[in-house]
Amino acid sequence: MNTDETMQPVSVLMVCLGNICRSPLAEAALRQAAEREGLALHVDSAGTGGWHVGNPPDHRAQEVAQRLGDIDISDLRARQVSAQDFYTFDHILAMDSNNLADLQALRPADATANLALLLDYVPGQQGHAVADPYYGDISVFEMTWVQVSAATAAFARNLR
Ligand code: 4NP
């Protein structure tokens, strides 16, 4: 539930390594889940690394978002996570434990964001990772989409 007195939408930042595969898919999937649940959410994504800053999502991520989710993610652009994000967002959700450790190292002592793994919100999958599909083929990206769709649906339901 959104308990903020000003009723700002709850804000969620999805974070992976490059911000071109997993987190843009998780961003798109959460937008879709929020729409389905009738929730006002502000959703963004970022990478812990800066190598792909300014780039659109990987073409394989774009393809599965379109084909399996009917979502066009071609207009997303990669950015690197910053310390400021820990004050701007209510939730920062990491895809894997490396992302989580990098975020914990960046996290300011007085950060207000809640930091967790995305899969911590899925019953029975606490502590699990959304595996990096970058070196896999398109079938791995399909699995990533299925995984982030289920996880973001669980996260959205949890917010209600
Ligand atoms: P992502 O995948 O973290 O899900 O965006 C990767 C993208 C790029 C690289 C690794 C993982 N890379 O090594 O460039």
Side-chain angles (χ1 to χ4, degrees):
M1 198 170 87
N2 187 349
T3 53
D4 183 41
E5 285 173 10
T6 60
M7 291 308 285
Q8 292 284 317
V10 171
S11 56
V12 183
L13 182 68
M14 299 293 188
V15 177
C16 62
L17 177 61
N19 193 208
I20 56 168
C21 300
R22 292 166 290 176
S23 60
L25 288 175
E27 176 184 349
L30 183 56
R31 285 223 176 88
Q32 205 167 51
E35 203 168 305
R36 213 169 35 234
E37 296 280 337
L39 289 172
L41 288 188
H42 170 65
V43 191
D44 194 7
S45 65
T48 57
W51 312 282
H52 298 283
V53 167
N55 291 346
D58 185 283
H59 65 95
R60 297 163 294 177
Q62 292 191 42
E63 186 197 321
V64 298
Q66 191 67 66
R67 183 159 46 81
L68 302 184
D70 198 22
I71 305 174
D72 180 358
I73 61 168
S74 63
D75 60 341
L76 299 182
R77 293 294 178 267
R79 73 171 179 88
Q80 192 167 14
V81 69
S82 72
Q84 183 59 42
D85 288 319
F86 286 87
Y87 305 102
T88 306
F89 288 88
D90 298 308
H91 295 274
I92 298 181
L93 299 178
M95 297 300 117
D96 66 30
S97 57
N98 288 328
N99 309 148
L100 185 63
D102 288 342
L103 288 164
Q104 279 160 344
L106 180 66
R107 183 181 185 275
D110 63 346
T112 49
N114 175 58
L115 177 60
L117 288 168
L118 171 60
L119 292 186
D120 284 347
Y121 288 90
V122 182
Q125 294 184 33
Q126 286 90 352
H128 290 205
V130 177
D132 184 350
Y134 188 63
Y135 296 102
D137 61 18
I138 192 73
S139 69
V140 183
F141 280 76
E142 288 169 354
M143 287 189 289
T144 305
W145 174 258
V146 170
Q147 200 175 24
V148 299
S149 294
T152 54
F155 178 80
R157 278 194 299 273
N158 195 68
L159 287 179
R160 296 198 73 193

